[in-house]
Amino acid sequence: MRGEISSAKFDKRHPLDWYVEPSWTVQQLIKQVHFREELVGGEGIWDPASGSGTICSAFEGAGFDGRLFLSDVVDNVDRSQFLFAPVFQSADFLELDRAPAPGSSVCNPPYSYRKGIAEAFVRHALKLATRRVCMLLPIKWLSSQVRFGLFMQDHPPAEVLVLTQRPSMPPGDRIKLMGNRAFRGGMIDYCWIVWNVQEPTAPGQTRTVWLPPLPGGR
């Protein structure tokens, strides 16, 4: 029933990798990175794999109301999370040639339903974002000969932010059925990988930060 990414058999995964991150994972990112430049400069936050909209909902709580942009191949946005109506575009991110507004791309990208899709998301976001790119991915994604070129040659990240508390990311279409179990008992370790588009990081200079667990281990 859990069906988490990388923990379920392929035929039991969501066909479009729609896995819902708990809001605290985004709040920890905001607390660490701050996103002051975006706030001061009137820039936007764009989630190009928005799912139910958890990421942009957390940014609304951080003062980005009116500057939130969501897109995905299917509209599953839970608009009850928002005080202000977010801007949604139905689109395949990899087919878009521009961002909806200057600013940063923050995303829990699809991981496996198409070969190489997570790296394709990263590389495309780095072309379109004007400030930052932040991607939430399983920690094991860092360990790959295939992505050595991405991390050490083409686009070294500024930071890797390790979630020391393991989140549960249930498939979006099963959350109601799973009830209270949906966001309990995570099985996969995750991290935020952060790039600064305006100030590229030199190879070997990526900073690793361990984000603290939630109070009381919630």
Side-chain angles (χ1 to χ4, degrees):
M1 285 296 298
R2 182 176 285 113
E4 282 187 282
I5 194 167
S6 302
S7 68
K9 294 181 179 179
F10 187 80
D11 61 354
K12 294 183 182 297
R13 298 179 194 169
H14 188 277
L16 293 175
D17 288 343
W18 177 27
Y19 293 90
V20 179
E21 64 286 339
S23 60
W24 64 262
T25 62
V26 193
Q27 291 160 3
Q28 285 202 325
L29 170 71
I30 295 170
K31 186 175 181 180
Q32 174 65 31
V33 177
H34 303 300
F35 297 89
R36 292 192 187 97
E37 294 88 350
E38 291 90 336
L39 276 169
V40 173
E43 298 173 354
I45 299 294
W46 177 26
D47 181 355
S50 58
S52 57
T54 306
I55 287 176
C56 281
S57 176
F59 274 93
E60 183 183 56
F64 278 90
D65 45 286
R67 288 178 283 159
L68 301 171
F69 303 90
L70 299 82
S71 62
D72 210 328
V73 291
V74 178
D75 185 354
N76 288 308
V77 177
D78 176 7
R79 288 165 175 79
S80 68
Q81 301 179 83
F82 296 88
L83 293 175
F84 300 91
V87 177
F88 177 83
Q89 179 183 8
S90 180
D92 183 334
F93 173 57
L94 298 179
E95 295 180 359
L96 297 176
D97 59 4
R98 67 182 64 186
S104 294
S105 178
V106 183
C107 177
N108 178 3
Y111 179 75
S112 62
Y113 84 89
R114 189 188 308 168
K115 185 176 180 180
I117 193 168
E119 181 171 348
F121 256 67
V122 169
R123 289 183 177 275
H124 199 54
L126 288 165
K127 292 178 182 177
L128 302 187
T130 59
R131 179 69 64 178
R132 259 180 277 263
V133 170
C134 307
M135 294 283 175
L136 182 59
L137 284 158
I139 286 178
K140 70 177 186 178
W141 200 74
L142 297 171
S143 302
S144 170
Q145 296 181 44
V146 174
R147 285 180 286 280
F148 178 83
L150 172 67
F151 293 134
M152 287 298 294
Q153 298 170 345
D154 302 337
H155 303 289
E159 293 182 306
V160 173
L161 310 178
V162 178
L163 296 173
T164 55
Q165 180 154 329
R166 182 180 289 169
S168 176
M169 296 197 189
D173 59 345
R174 297 189 196 174
I175 290 176
K176 288 185 179 179
L177 182 63
M178 295 171 72
N180 293 334
R181 296 179 295 113
F183 290 99
R184 294 179 182 174
M187 300 177 66
I188 306 298
D189 293 305
Y190 283 86
C191 64
W192 284 101
I193 309 176
V194 180
W195 289 264
N196 187 328
V197 176
Q198 296 196 357
E199 299 177 10
T201 301
Q205 297 303 305
T206 299
R207 182 169 175 253
T208 303
V209 177
W210 282 264
L211 301 178
L214 302 180
R218 292 180 289 106

